[in-house]
Amino acid sequence: MAHITFDSSKLQKFVHDNELGEMQAMVTAADSELRNGTGAGADYRDWLNWPNDYDKEEFDRIKKAAQKIQSDSQVFVVIGIGGSYLGAKMAVDFLNDTFYNYLPDSERKTPQVFFAGNSLSSSYVYDLIHLIGDRDFSVNIISKSGTTTEPSIAFRIFKDKLVEKYGEAEAKKRIYATTDANSGALHDEAKAEGYESFVVPDGIGGRYSVLSAVGLLPIAVSGASIDDLMQGAADAEAEYVSPDLTKNEAYQYAAYRNILYRKGYTTELLENYEPNMMMFSEWWKQLAGESEGKDQKGIYPSSANFTTDLHSLGQYIQEGLRNLMETVVKVDKPNHDVEVPKEPQDLDGLGYLEGKTMDYANTKAFEGVTLAHIDGGVPNMSVHIPDQTAYTLGYLIYFFEIGIAISGYLNGINPFNQPGVEAYKTNMFALLGKPGYEELGQKLNDRL
């Protein structure tokens, strides 16, 4: 029995009973493409069996490195962009108390984990350096090539701060590189300088890399159990192996979202009811958007954080353009619950909730919103997770990874490449004056 539950029961108004079964032949074909390597992008399927096939020796080194960082650092700076940071940030937020990073050093058992190199904002880097102050810190630079502009600039800056504080020899002991196993600028630098290094697997694209060293080191440093995380993913791998739509809920999710897409529901909102799951939506948006947005087609991934966004986006979702579908990730048991206090006078009108909990109110909000949106013409699916543990997160990650992969094949898309990403990089290199881009840079400047 699956550890998490996919609920499609609220789709009855939008999907006829026969439609899921009629997708079976296409799903079976997509499953064959994925598992037999006959589909496009077959070289990037190592994530499929990774929860069982991961490098156990490297995994142990990750745990030992995390222990060292926890012992000698009060701050851990993780430098990366896209898949090199979203998964780790998502997991650190998901698995820790909401304000963990804000607690004083005396009240935290592990370092603060902050992320850099995911923008070109000078103010952000300046403010992070100010926040670190005189405290001890270490750096994890994550880049397969080592030449991506945003993390490369950030790494230079924080490497300089390490050398300034500790000297060159000690600074090298506080730099951890996650990069290509055999080549690339960062690989060569790490080898030359003696940084402890971990591998970005060749057969796993960035958006699928959170369960590799890319995500595991920051997650382990934060104090979460990466053993439990991988076990959850391994159990999900075993659960979502059948192409039979009556047995595989991850494939049901893929099938239903494609049925709805073909009916004109071209935007999918991933929604949650826990503020520390906001970054989960950001991770999912890259997974879905970069996998499916190709050839002038694909479901547009967006997100909303409830109940907060009901006071800003709620009107549009309820009565705006009817191209929206919703997938809610609902936590059945929150990390903590708080009871509504009793008061002698019911001045705020909350007497009817006295003795009940905030999670009770949150769940009723989820139920009420679901029914209202269905009545307003928005198809609704939900994924129920029992808790916010590392095991559950590993399971949930794999659910969406395999669901999105199958969904891409169902729509005739290579779910593992991202050719469009290179267009802006080429222009940016040219405008920045990178050697080899001078002619293009002149043409672009003439257009500006």
Side-chain angles (χ1 to χ4, degrees), residues 93-135:
D93 284 4
F94 186 101
L95 297 171
N96 287 283
D97 289 350
T98 306
F99 302 106
Y100 188 80
N101 259 350
Y102 296 91
L103 294 175
D105 293 340
S106 60
E107 293 186 33
R108 280 182 291 100
K109 297 179 181 178
T110 58
Q112 291 174 303
V113 180
F114 291 108
F115 294 82
N118 48 62
S119 76
L120 288 171
S121 168
S122 53
S123 295
Y124 181 95
V125 169
Y126 180 92
D127 292 345
L128 179 53
I129 291 170
H130 178 73
L131 177 66
I132 295 170
D134 292 330
R135 294 183 298 161

Side-chain angles (χ1 to χ4, degrees), residues 155-220:
F155 182 44
R156 272 209 182 191
I157 293 168
F158 283 97
K159 180 170 53 176
D160 183 67
K161 293 298 177 183
L162 283 171
V163 172
E164 179 184 311
K165 182 175 178 63
Y166 299 105
E168 288 191 11
E170 180 62 26
K172 292 175 184 178
K173 298 177 183 178
R174 290 177 172 271
I175 296 173
Y176 301 82
T178 307
T179 188
D180 190 88
N182 302 303
S183 63
L186 181 56
H187 166 272
D188 294 345
E189 179 179 345
K191 187 175 181 179
E193 300 295 339
Y195 307 151
E196 180 160 11
S197 299
F198 304 99
V199 174
V200 179
D202 286 336
I204 299 179
R207 57 189 175 276
Y208 279 84
S209 67
V210 61
L211 297 176
S212 73
V214 171
L216 291 179
L217 180 59
I219 295 168

Side-chain angles (χ1 to χ4, degrees), residues 50-63:
W50 188 257
N52 287 291
D53 293 348
Y54 64 91
D55 185 333
K56 309 302 189 295
E57 183 275 330
E58 182 182 63
F59 191 80
D60 288 339
R61 286 199 301 114
I62 289 170
K63 291 195 285 188

Side-chain angles (χ1 to χ4, degrees), residues 280-432:
F280 185 88
S281 296
E282 296 303 307
W283 169 80
W284 173 86
K285 277 156 53 174
Q286 185 194 12
L287 180 70
E290 206 167 72
S291 296
E292 295 190 294
K294 294 154 195 170
D295 302 326
Q296 289 75 56
K297 58 185 176 181
I299 299 167
Y300 181 77
S302 189
S303 63
N305 306 289
F306 291 162
T307 59
T308 304
D309 287 344
L310 291 171
H311 297 261
S312 56
L313 297 177
Q315 173 62 40
Y316 188 95
I317 296 171
Q318 190 70 40
E319 295 184 344
L321 190 64
R322 298 297 76 186
N323 67 336
L324 305 177
M325 59 174 128
E326 298 176 300
T327 301
V328 184
V329 180
K330 180 65 173 68
V331 182
D332 290 336
K333 183 180 179 181
N335 291 332
H336 311 282
D337 206 355
V338 179
E339 190 173 288
V340 179
K342 295 181 180 180
E343 292 188 356
Q345 291 182 296
D346 188 21
L347 299 179
D348 56 11
L350 287 179
Y352 71 102
L353 286 177
E354 289 181 352
K356 294 183 172 65
T357 68
M358 287 191 69
D359 185 60
Y360 170 82
N362 205 25
T363 298
K364 293 306 172 185
F366 156 69
E367 294 170 353
V369 169
T370 297
L371 295 176
H373 288 181
I374 291 169
D375 290 344
V378 181
N380 181 284
M381 301 171 279
S382 59
V383 180
H384 288 260
I385 61 175
D387 49 40
Q388 286 187 249
T389 61
Y391 178 88
T392 293
L393 180 59
Y395 211 104
L396 185 64
I397 287 169
Y398 196 87
F399 173 91
F400 279 113
E401 285 184 342
I402 199 163
I404 294 297
I406 289 294
S407 183
Y409 279 137
L410 287 176
N411 203 23
I413 289 171
N414 176 353
F416 305 122
N417 68 351
Q418 54 278 341
V421 173
E422 301 306 316
Y424 90 86
K425 290 183 180 180
T426 299
N427 285 354
M428 183 172 67
F429 290 153
L431 291 169
L432 286 170

